[in-house]
Amino acid sequence: MIWLLDFLFSPLPTPALIGLVVLGAAIFFWVTTRPKTISPPIDLNNQSIGIQGGARRSTFLPENELLAYYYEDAKTMYEAFQRGLHVSENGPFYIVQRMDREYLGSGLLFKGCKPSQDQVIGIFWIISEYACYTYSMVAVPLYDTLGPDAIVFIINKADISMVICDKPEKALILLENCEQGKIPDLKTIILMDLFEDELKDKGAKEGVEILSFQEAEPPKPEDLGVVCFTSGTTGDPKGAMLTHENVVANAAAFLKSTETTFDCKTSDISVSYLPLAHMFERVVQTIMYSSGARVGFFQGDIRLLTDDMKTLKPTVFPTVPRLLNRISDKIQSGAQNPLKRVLLNFALARKLDEVKKGILRNDSIWDKMIFKKVQETMGGQVRIMVTAAAPISPSVLTLLRGALGCQIFEAYGQTECAAGCTFTVPGDCTTGHVGAPLPCNIIKLEDVADMNYFSSNNEGEVCIKGSNVFKGYLKDPERTAEAIDKDGWLHTGDIGKWMPNGTLKIIDRKKNIFKLAQGEYIAPEKIENVYIRSTPVAQVFVHGESLKSSLVGIVVPDPEVLPKFAAKLGIKDLSEETYKNSCKCLSFYTQVKDIYIHPEMFTIEQGLLTPTLKAKRAELSKYFQTQLEALYANMQE
C-alpha cells in the first residue's frame, strides 16, 4: 500500500508530464472537433401511423390534429412576411422589400383596386405578390415560359384587369394581344423597369394605362391567397385556388419535420431560380420569409446559375432532379482515368460510411481532396437541399449525399396540395421512397382495379386530405369534382405503395398510360425513368400508339458526357443502335424498338416542358410527328 502511495504522489519525469499534456490536448481536440451525428427525430422503422379509414399520418404530431402553422404569429403569408421583418430586425433583403411592397400595394389601392378577395392581380414579379398579400388581394402568377396563348387564357379565365410585370418587352406582348382583341378586359399595366413614352402611347391607343413603379385589413388564414395556374401536361392550364393557410401549413410542416436538425436562421440564404408559379419555390420562400432569412434571385439565365451560386453562397438550395443529374454526371465524368476512378470510388465509399452513421460534413480529407471543387460550384455553404417536382434516381441521390456533405431531402406533392404532401426524415439515408406524410396532411391509397392496384396490398392511387389541400380550380367545377371527391380527398393520379417502414413509394401514374395494339398497357414515364439512367442520355420521350405493337422514342444526348462515353466503348460513329441497346432490364413490350436522335434539349420556351420540367406529352407528339411517323414506317419496311 505504501509503494502505491509513493508512486501516485512522487514527481513524474518531465517527458511523462509532456506526454500526458499532449494526450489530454489531443483528447480535448478530438471531443470538440469530432463530426456530429444526426439523430433521427422519429423511429425510422415506423415513420407513419395508420388511422381510421385506412389512411396514414405523420408521427411528428401526438394527436390526429393536422398542422396549420408553425409560428403563432405567422398564420398567413402576410403575417409570415411581417414576422420575418421583425425577427431579422430590418435585416438584409427586407429593407427594400418592405418599402416596395407597401408603396406598390398603396398604389394599387389608389388606382381603384379593392383590398378584398374579389380583386385579382396578374403578376410577373415577387414584390408584386407580397404587395397583393399586404392588402388581401389575390395574386395570379403569369410566367412567360408558358407561351403567349397560355397567358391570354389565364388573363381571360381569371378576369384580370391589371397586370404587374418587370420588363417593357412583356408589356409589349400584352398590348399586342389587346390590339388583336384577345384580352379585352385588361385596363392597366404596371412596369417595374423604366420604359419609353412610345409604350405609354401605344397603351393609350388600346385603352390600357401604362404606369411606372415609384391600410387595409390583413388577410385571414382561410382567405384566398393565390391562384396558381398549373401548366399541366395536357389541355388548358387549371387555376388552383390556394388559401393563405394552404401555403403556410405546407411551410410549417417542413419546419416541424426538420426542427431537430435544421434551424432556419436570419443568416441563411436561399437561391431562387425556379418559376414564381412553381408552388415548391413559393413554399420555400415562405419558410425563408417567416424565419427572417434571405432570398437571392438568379440573373434569369439558368446557364449562369453556377456563377450566381458562387456569388450568393446559399445555405438552402431547393432543386429538381434534372439539375442533380447534371451534377452527378459532372462528378463521375471528372474521373477520366483508372487512378481517378479508384480514388473517387474509395472517397465516396468512405463518405457514404459516414452518412450511414448520421455524419454529414464537408471538411473531411476526402472533401478537401476530391469533392471540394463540386461543392464550391454551389457556393460552398449549402447545408440543406430539397429535391422535388420529379422522381430522382436512388443512385444519384446516394452519390450526392456523400459528395456534397449536406442534408438532402426528397419531397413529393403537387400544386393542388400547395407543393408537398410527403417528406423524407432527417437521418434517413435510405432511397427508393419519398418519405412519410407531412404533419399537415394524411394520405390514403385507393383501389385502381383496372391497373390491378389494391389498397389491401398497400398499393393504390395516392389521395390527400389536410390543411394544405386547395379549394378547387378557378371557374371549373367539373375539373374540381374530378380532383376532390365528396369526402374531401384530393386524388393525385399517382400510384403509390406503402413501404414496411411507413414511407411512401411512387410506383406508377394513373393518367399517362396507353394500350398497344396487342393489348399491352404501357406507362411511358416509368420506361423513360429507366432509360434516363443511361449516362449519355440527357432527355428521352417514349411514344406509342394503339394501332402499333411497339414503342419508339426521341433521345437527346448529353453533349458533355457523350464523347467520353463513346470513346470508352470504342465507338467512333454513334448511331441509334447505341441508345436502343443501352438498357436490357425492360421487358420485351416496354423496350423502345427504334429512336430518333435529336440534337437540342426539350425546353420550356419551346412549349415541350412544363415549368416544373415535366414532359408535355401531347406537344412532344405534335412537335416530332414527322420523325415518329418515319420511325414506324421504317419498322414496317
Side-chain angles (χ1 to χ4, degrees):
M1 189 65 178
I2 296 175
W3 68 266
L4 180 60
L5 293 174
D6 288 341
F7 174 78
L8 291 175
F9 292 100
S10 61
L12 293 174
T14 301
L17 286 172
I18 294 174
L20 287 174
V21 170
V22 170
L23 178 61
I27 294 173
F28 177 78
F29 179 79
W30 179 79
V31 170
T32 56
T33 61
R34 63 176 177 174
K36 297 179 180 178
T37 60
I38 294 177
S39 300
I42 60 174
D43 181 2
L44 296 182
N45 294 320
N46 294 285
Q47 297 189 30
S48 62
I49 299 173
I51 61 175
Q52 189 175 5
R56 300 189 73 86
R57 69 167 179 85
S58 170
T59 59
F60 281 99
L61 298 176
E63 304 295 337
N64 288 336
E65 185 176 347
L66 298 176
L67 194 67
Y69 56 87
Y70 190 78
Y71 299 112
E72 185 69 32
D73 56 347
K75 298 179 182 178
T76 68
M77 288 180 278
Y78 169 74
E79 290 178 352
F81 196 95
Q82 291 286 12
R83 183 185 187 279
L85 176 67
H86 173 71
V87 299
S88 68
E89 298 179 348
N90 253 351
F93 178 73
Y94 285 99
I95 297 173
V96 176
Q97 292 281 55
R98 180 187 182 187
M99 291 170 57
D100 286 353
R101 69 180 174 82
E102 291 186 352
Y103 288 160
L104 178 56
S106 299
L108 296 178
L109 295 178
F110 179 75
K111 294 306 297 181
C113 293
K114 300 175 183 178
S116 73
Q117 296 289 284
D118 298 325
Q119 185 66 59
V120 181
I121 307 291
I123 63 170
F124 280 97
W125 211 36
I126 190 70
I127 291 178
S128 55
E129 177 187 6
Y130 277 83
C132 292
Y133 295 158
T134 301
Y135 295 99
S136 299
M137 301 174 195
V138 178
V140 178
L142 301 172
Y143 39 116
D144 45 351
T145 51
L146 263 181
D149 292 340
I151 290 176
V152 168
F153 175 84
I154 292 172
I155 289 175
N156 290 329
K157 184 76 172 180
D159 294 328
I160 295 173
S161 62
M162 178 181 289
V163 171
I164 306 169
C165 53
D166 50 357
K167 300 183 182 298
E169 292 81 6
K170 294 178 182 177
L172 192 59
I173 293 173
L174 293 173
L175 290 178
E176 289 173 356
N177 284 314
C178 288
E179 190 177 3
Q180 297 169 19
K182 293 182 178 179
I183 44 178
D185 293 333
L186 184 63
K187 302 301 178 187
T188 307
I189 298 175
I190 298 177
L191 269 167
M192 298 297 175
D193 289 354
L194 297 175
F195 58 91
E196 302 292 335
D197 290 338
E198 295 176 4
L199 186 64
K200 197 161 191 171
D201 295 338
K202 184 176 179 65
K205 291 179 182 178
E206 303 303 326
V208 178
E209 187 177 15
I210 309 293
L211 299 174
S212 176
F213 170 65
Q214 298 282 73
E215 245 167 277
E217 183 181 350
K220 297 182 286 295
E222 64 271 18
D223 286 346
L224 186 62
V226 57
V227 179
C228 190
F229 275 82
T230 64
S231 57
T233 53
T234 59
D236 291 325
K238 299 174 290 186
M241 297 186 292
L242 294 158
T243 65
H244 286 262
E245 182 183 64
N246 292 152
V247 180
V248 170
N250 217 255
F254 167 82
L255 290 169
K256 183 68 178 178
S257 299
T258 60
E259 63 184 358
T260 61
T261 59
F262 174 71
D263 178 21
C264 193
K265 306 172 183 176
T266 56
S267 58
D268 278 309
I269 304 171
S270 173
V271 57
S272 175
Y273 63 97
L274 297 172
L276 175 60
H278 199 319
M279 283 309 302
F280 174 39
E281 172 68 30
R282 300 167 82 92
V283 168
V284 170
Q285 291 195 16
T286 301
I287 293 166
M288 302 302 287
Y289 297 153
S290 64
S291 303
R294 292 171 281 177
V295 177
F297 297 87
F298 82 132
Q299 299 177 58
D301 188 343
I302 195 66
R303 293 171 296 184
L304 301 176
L305 181 61
T306 299
D307 295 336
D308 294 331
M309 293 187 69
K310 287 179 180 177
T311 302
L312 189 63
K313 300 186 184 305
T315 58
V316 178
F317 184 43
T319 187
V320 292
R322 180 180 172 185
L323 185 57
L324 295 183
N325 290 338
R326 303 282 290 181
I327 296 173
S328 173
D329 290 342
K330 285 185 180 296
I331 293 173
Q332 296 181 80
S333 62
Q336 299 176 6
N337 58 57
L339 177 60
K340 287 186 176 180
R341 280 195 292 274
V342 169
L343 282 174
L344 173 63
N345 293 334
F346 185 80
L348 190 59
R350 302 287 72 74
K351 287 296 298 292
L352 290 176
D353 283 343
E354 289 192 339
V355 170
K356 292 175 182 177
K357 297 174 184 176
I359 299 172
L360 293 172
R361 56 172 175 162
N362 56 11
D363 58 356
S364 70
I365 186 173
W366 308 114
D367 292 298
K368 295 172 183 177
M369 290 177 55
I370 308 294
F371 303 118
K372 184 177 181 180
K373 187 176 180 180
V374 68
Q375 291 170 2
E376 287 182 343
T377 62
M378 304 174 66
Q381 302 294 324
V382 176
R383 63 193 190 100
I384 184 170
M385 295 173 62
V386 181
T387 175
I392 183 170
S393 164
S395 60
V396 171
L397 186 57
T398 299
L399 184 149
L400 293 179
R401 279 175 171 163
L404 300 181
C406 65
Q407 296 186 75
I408 304 180
F409 298 104
E410 185 173 4
Y412 159 74
Q414 55 184 203
T415 300
E416 288 81 355
C417 63
C421 64
T422 70
F423 193 77
T424 51
V425 174
D428 185 359
C429 63
T430 61
T431 58
H433 61 82
V434 292
L438 281 170
C440 61
N441 59 247
I442 57 176
I443 294 176
K444 74 170 182 177
L445 302 181
E446 190 168 277
D447 293 349
V448 184
D450 57 343
M451 296 179 70
N452 206 32
Y453 292 118
F454 299 96
S455 58
S456 57
N457 298 328
N458 285 325
E459 297 176 342
E461 182 183 8
V462 179
C463 299
I464 311 164
K465 182 188 284 189
S467 48
N468 57 334
V469 173
F470 81 139
K471 300 306 175 188
Y473 296 116
L474 180 68
K475 299 180 180 178
D476 202 338
E478 185 176 339
R479 280 169 145 178
T480 298
E482 291 175 0
I484 304 178
D485 63 27
K486 58 180 175 36
D487 296 320
W489 288 96
L490 168 64
H491 291 248
T492 65
D494 291 320
I495 305 297
K497 177 179 181 178
W498 289 119
M499 306 301 286
N501 64 351
T503 59
L504 182 69
K505 181 177 183 178
I506 304 302
I507 58 175
D508 210 337
R509 178 71 181 161
K510 183 179 178 181
K511 295 180 180 178
N512 293 327
I513 60 172
F514 52 80
K515 186 187 292 186
L516 294 178
Q518 67 273 36
E520 189 78 17
Y521 279 102
I522 299 296
E525 291 175 342
K526 195 173 182 179
I527 300 171
E528 288 164 356
N529 287 334
V530 174
Y531 277 104
I532 203 69
R533 296 176 196 165
S534 180
T535 307
V537 176
Q539 291 174 319
V540 62
F541 168 61
V542 173
H543 175 80
E545 299 178 10
S546 59
L547 299 179
K548 306 294 183 182
S549 60
S550 57
L551 302 173
V552 294
I554 308 294
V555 171
V556 180
D558 189 321
E560 296 182 12
V561 177
L562 184 59
K564 298 173 185 176
F565 179 82
K568 179 181 177 182
L569 297 180
I571 301 174
K572 295 182 179 180
D573 298 319
L574 289 165
S575 65
E576 282 83 354
E577 198 66 31
T578 305
Y579 294 92
K580 284 188 286 184
N581 295 331
S582 65
C583 183
K584 298 294 186 181
C585 59
L586 293 169
S587 65
F588 177 78
Y589 289 114
T590 57
Q591 288 186 25
V592 171
K593 299 303 184 290
D594 204 357
I595 66 167
Y596 168 76
I597 297 179
H598 187 61
E600 298 179 0
M601 298 284 282
F602 310 151
T603 65
I604 299 172
E605 290 74 19
Q606 292 172 314
L608 302 179
L609 300 177
T610 71
T612 57
L613 304 178
K614 295 185 179 74
K616 301 179 81 169
R617 310 199 70 82
E619 283 74 7
L620 281 164
S621 296
K622 293 176 184 176
Y623 190 86
F624 291 107
Q625 183 177 355
T626 303
Q627 291 85 351
L628 294 171
E629 289 176 352
L631 289 173
Y632 277 122
N634 292 336
M635 291 168 61
Q636 293 174 353
E637 294 177 356

